[in-house]
Amino acid sequence: MCAGCYSTVDGYIMGAVGLGAAIEVGVCRVKAMFDAQYAAQRHVLVYERNAAFCEYMGLDPLVVLGPKPAPLPVAHTSPGWSPSFGSPALAVP
């Protein structure tokens, strides 16, 4: 792009799009830290977004991306820390 075709408004628009993408990624990462169900299905959602883009471009998603992944099992849904006091492992026999 030549210097005459690039304006300040173009710079603001590109900056806003980049900032929006960065905010979206950050929100997804924070959401995944607190929601185990979302974290287990995040790679499936990414595959679906990529497959939609492939279809938009006229490509077959199965050929380009491979088979759709299955969601990961969710082992524990409550957040992080659990107190050690009062647990049966610490009980005196």
Side-chain angles (χ1 to χ4, degrees):
M1 183 179 280
C2 66
C5 298
Y6 183 78
S7 68
T8 304
V9 175
D10 293 331
Y12 288 146
I13 290 172
M14 285 188 266
V17 169
L19 180 63
I23 289 173
E24 181 183 3
V25 168
V27 167
C28 287
R29 288 185 180 192
V30 168
K31 186 176 177 183
M33 284 190 327
F34 294 108
D35 187 6
Q37 187 70 29
Y38 176 75
Q41 294 182 357
R42 182 174 48 183
H43 67 284
V44 177
L45 297 173
V46 169
Y47 177 88
E48 289 173 354
R49 290 177 79 183
N50 289 339
F53 179 73
C54 287
E55 289 175 358
Y56 172 76
M57 296 296 293
L59 302 171
D60 184 15
L62 290 175
V63 173
V64 176
L65 301 174
K68 183 177 179 178
L72 299 173
V74 179
H76 195 263
T77 58
S78 65
W81 183 75
S82 62
S84 61
F85 57 85
S87 63
L90 297 177
V92 178

